[in-house]
Amino acid sequence: AIELFRQVRGIFRLIGLPGATMLISEMELLSKDVFDERNDDNEIQLAALSNAIIILNHYLEYVHIKQSIFPALLITTINELRVIGKKSFVAESSFFAVNLNVVRDFSVKSSSAVDLSDIPILSRRLRLMYQVGMLGVFKGENPKTNFRLMLRALQRIDALCGDVPMGKLWWVATGAIEAFVTETIELNNVRKSVFGKIDRQIKLLVHQGEQVLSQDPPAQLLKECLYFVSLADKDDDNIVELKRAFALDTNTYTDS
């Protein structure tokens, strides 16, 4: 079976199916683990492999009928195998293409005149607000209310920082949280991990202040947030602005 997975991986790579190539690679690696361990306690691994084979078969039928490769359909199954193999999540935006070199138009957004040296002190309280909301979301306690708490914290951080390189992250992250507030995209463990990455950037703002503001935001985090925005099918003001600025309105599919 491992040898057959390897052969199929080569075929998928040759014909240009990146999602299927990534999935079959994870299936091959998990199969090797099962083979090398050689014990009877492998029900979870084998069940995951069986499920992946079924999903892959359905996916190939989809590609054949629709004549569209749409690799994002396989991300959930890929991550299920990676969790069992004790590996980190693959970003949902792995197959998402977007131009991140967009300059924000501040002529349509007023920002508070705040001394940059005061931002670490002011952002400390806002980080606590964000964390309280995030913890509530993780616990499944009144998610919409807690998402709104996270959103308010990011909106205030965005207003505080104004027109600085790192400000692009707060702008984009605000849109990402709005996508959850509108209840048009669902919550999962991969998406929860993105909230934690945003919190770590706020932490840097608290501890390093002006030094962080002058840095460019992490490209991968921007991409993940913009992917959430692209999936939203209810257009609040900030979501509309982001979709227009980053040309996300060409996306033809929603989260569902």
Side-chain angles (χ1 to χ4, degrees), residues 99 101-105 171 239-249:
N99 176 20
N101 297 319
V102 170
V103 178
R104 187 178 186 182
D105 182 5
W171 176 38
I239 291 177
V240 170
E241 183 186 352
L242 285 165
K243 283 187 174 182
R244 183 172 55 248
F246 288 90
L248 303 178
D249 44 10

Side-chain angles (χ1 to χ4, degrees), residues 60-104:
L60 294 175
E61 290 176 357
Y62 171 89
V63 171
H64 179 65
I65 293 169
K66 298 286 189 179
Q67 295 296 297
S68 172
I69 62 172
F70 199 7
L73 287 171
L74 295 175
I75 288 289
T76 299
T77 309
I78 290 167
N79 280 325
E80 286 171 356
L81 295 180
R82 289 180 65 85
V83 167
I84 292 171
K86 296 181 173 60
K87 291 185 283 187
S88 60
F89 292 125
V90 167
E92 288 187 310
S93 60
S94 296
F95 304 110
F96 175 62
V98 62
N99 176 20
L100 299 177
N101 297 319
V102 170
V103 178
R104 187 178 186 182

Side-chain angles (χ1 to χ4, degrees), residues 1 5 27 30-35 39-54 81 84:
F5 286 152
M27 292 164 69
L30 189 57
S31 299
K32 285 179 181 177
D33 289 344
V34 171
F35 184 78
N39 61 52
D40 296 329
D41 187 21
N42 56 22
E43 183 176 341
I44 293 175
Q45 290 96 323
L46 293 177
L49 284 167
S50 298
N51 179 64
I53 290 170
I54 293 169
L81 295 180
I84 292 171

Side-chain angles (χ1 to χ4, degrees), residues 80-148:
E80 286 171 356
L81 295 180
R82 289 180 65 85
V83 167
I84 292 171
K86 296 181 173 60
K87 291 185 283 187
S88 60
F89 292 125
V90 167
E92 288 187 310
S93 60
S94 296
F95 304 110
F96 175 62
V98 62
N99 176 20
L100 299 177
N101 297 319
V102 170
V103 178
R104 187 178 186 182
D105 182 5
F106 265 88
S107 64
V108 296
K109 185 175 182 66
S110 61
S111 57
S112 304
V114 175
D115 189 328
L116 294 182
S117 62
D118 292 334
I119 285 181
I121 298 171
L122 296 170
S123 58
R124 190 182 304 274
R125 180 176 58 83
L126 295 173
R127 184 190 180 205
L128 179 60
M129 180 190 296
Y130 179 89
Q131 288 179 317
V132 169
M134 183 172 66
L135 185 60
V137 167
F138 286 0
K139 289 181 175 180
E141 298 172 351
N142 209 343
K144 190 165 186 176
T145 298
N146 282 302
F147 272 129
R148 288 189 184 282

